[in-house]
């Protein structure tokens, strides 16, 4: 710029331009500082949590892999084993083991997760609850299966009924619930006191249910009937005992229908158990012949046919040997005999009677032994005139 006096002088940029440049420099520096601080804060917050998630995934996948190989080995071993116990273990642990794998992963990740103490305690409480519930479920399922198998196999005094297995399951779950409450810091004494006070009201409201329950315990301990026995009630129902439950007993009749009877009705009724003292029973077949027949001949023929059928008819026993008795004796139009033989169980009598009657009928025809028709002799008397 040339001044009015002919000399020259240099001047800086305008003040507005300088202010604008300073403002831009401040903005750039503040933006760079804000981004660096945000990254530091974000890395500080997400770093431990990402590590905990990574530990959870790695440990869980590793434990799941170990579970997979262990169950493959158990399945291969159970296929080669003759006893079903290993299959019971496989079925009992299959679902709870999934929960255990996840719980192990969560517990391993908690060590590296920077959580508040309250949150850590809540997660540990949830882990403990799930662990106790899953272990209780596995023990209850395995105990129920193995106990039922042992009772059926060894024919012990207590039979594998629905009631006995239910009692075992309830006891295990009760113990598991007490352990769970104790682990959560809950005092059990007030709960037991409340249950004792409320038990009277529950007992009054559930009189019939409790009556059936204790009647089922009586049937289980006293054993007037057992699962598999053939019984006949005074009401006329008869069949095989399928199960004795905590409230009812199920009886499968010969037409393959199920009769469901309350336990207290069974304990109060008169019943016949065809399996006590043992399933073997005597079969009495009445035979009638003409008065023209020789009783000794008839007795010999009947005994020969019964002995000949041993080994041919399923259910007919050789010991004690079949025999014949002249009972009831003299009928109105026939000589009445009774053939007595032993059958293996109640339902075997039907086939044995069916076949023996056919054999006896053919033998009577060959021996010319007459089976008389019912007849009456009528004497006519003429009144005197």
């Amino acid at each position: 710029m040339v001044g009015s006096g002919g000399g020259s002088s240099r001047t800086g940029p305008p003040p507005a331009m300088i202010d604008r440049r300073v403002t831009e420099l401040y903005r750039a520096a503040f933006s760079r500082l804000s981004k660096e601080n945000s990254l530091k804060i974000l890395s500080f917050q997400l770093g431990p949590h990402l590590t905990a998630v990574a530990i959870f995934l790695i440990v869980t996948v590793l434990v799941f892999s170990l579970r997979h190989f262990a169950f493959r080995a158990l399945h291969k071993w159970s296929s080669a084993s003759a006893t079903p116990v290993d299959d019971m273990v496989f079925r009992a642990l299959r679902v709870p083991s999934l929960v255990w794998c996840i719980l192990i992963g969560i517990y391993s990740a908690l060590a590296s997760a920077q959580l508040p103490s309250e949150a850590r305690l809540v997660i540990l409480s949830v882990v403990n609850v799930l662990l106790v519930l899953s272990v209780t479920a596995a023990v209850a399922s395995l105990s129920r299966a193995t106990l039922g198998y042992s009772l059926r196999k060894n024919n012990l005094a207590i039979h594998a009924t629905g009631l006995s297995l239910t009692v075992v399951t309830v006891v295990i779950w009760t113990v598991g619930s007490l352990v769970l409450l104790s682990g959560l810091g809950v005092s059990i004494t007030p709960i037991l006191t409340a249950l004792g006070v409320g038990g009277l009201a529950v007992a009054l409201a559930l009189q019939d249910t409790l009556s059936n329950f204790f009647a089922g315990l009586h049937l289980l301990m006293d054993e007037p009937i057992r699962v598999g026995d053939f019984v006949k009630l005074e009401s006329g129902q008869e069949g095989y005992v399928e199960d004795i439950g905590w409230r009812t007993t199920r009886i499968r009749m010969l037409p393959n229908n199920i009769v469901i009877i309350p336990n207290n009705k069974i304990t109060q009724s008169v019943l016949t158990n065809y399996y006590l003292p043992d399933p073997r029973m005597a079969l009495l077949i009445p035979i009638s012949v003409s008065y023209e027949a020789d009783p000794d001949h008839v007795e010999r023929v009947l005994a020969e046919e019964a002995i000949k059928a041993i080994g041919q008819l399923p259910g007919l026993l050789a010991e004690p040997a079949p025999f014949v008795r002249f009972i009831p004796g003299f009928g109105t139009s026939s000589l009445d005999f009774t053939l007595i033989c032993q059958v293996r169980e109640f339902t075997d009598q039907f086939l044995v009677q069916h076949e023996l009657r056919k054999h006896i009928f053919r033998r009577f025809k060959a021996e010319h032994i007459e089976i008389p028709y019912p007849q009456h002799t009528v004497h006519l008397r003429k009144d005197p005139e």
Side-chain angles (χ1 to χ4, degrees), residues 208 212 215 219 247-249 260-268:
D208 292 339
N212 287 318
L219 294 175
R247 183 179 177 276
T248 61
T249 297
I260 302 175
I261 308 171
N263 291 333
N264 59 358
K265 298 294 183 183
I266 294 181
T267 56
Q268 295 172 7

Side-chain angles (χ1 to χ4, degrees), residues 46-104:
L46 296 180
H49 298 296
L50 290 175
T51 303
V53 171
I55 292 175
F56 168 75
L57 293 176
I58 293 173
V59 173
T60 303
V61 171
L62 180 60
V63 176
F64 266 108
S65 302
L66 294 176
R67 173 189 176 275
H68 174 70
F69 289 116
F71 271 78
R72 283 187 60 182
L74 180 61
H75 181 68
K76 186 180 297 183
W77 176 49
S78 64
S79 301
S81 177
T83 62
V85 177
D86 38 20
D87 296 326
M88 299 174 188
V89 175
F90 180 82
R91 288 192 296 268
L93 299 181
R94 183 173 55 186
V95 175
S97 60
L98 297 175
V99 180
W100 298 340
C101 294
I102 298 175
L103 293 181
I104 291 174

Side-chain angles (χ1 to χ4, degrees), residues 104-162:
I104 291 174
I106 295 174
Y107 191 80
S108 302
L110 277 178
S112 59
Q114 295 183 0
L115 297 174
S117 58
E118 293 82 2
R120 186 182 296 272
L121 289 176
V122 171
I123 295 176
L124 285 176
S125 299
V126 173
V127 169
N128 290 333
V129 169
L130 294 177
L131 180 61
V132 172
L133 292 178
S134 59
V135 170
T136 304
V139 173
S141 177
L142 183 60
S143 301
R144 184 183 179 95
T146 54
L147 177 64
Y149 170 73
S150 300
L151 293 178
R152 286 187 294 267
K153 181 182 178 182
N154 299 323
N155 196 21
L156 299 178
I158 300 178
H159 292 268
T161 62

Side-chain angles (χ1 to χ4, degrees), residues 274 278-283 285 303 305-323 339-346 348-349 351-353 356:
Y274 291 98
D278 56 69
R280 184 187 64 185
M281 61 173 291
L283 172 62
I285 304 177
E305 288 300 317
I307 294 173
K308 193 189 306 181
I310 295 175
Q312 300 177 4
L313 301 181
L316 181 60
L317 302 179
E319 292 294 336
F323 58 94
L339 172 62
I340 304 170
C341 51
Q342 297 287 325
V343 293
R344 185 175 49 205
E345 62 169 303
F346 182 84
D348 289 329
Q349 64 173 316
L351 178 61
V352 172
Q353 286 195 63
L356 274 180

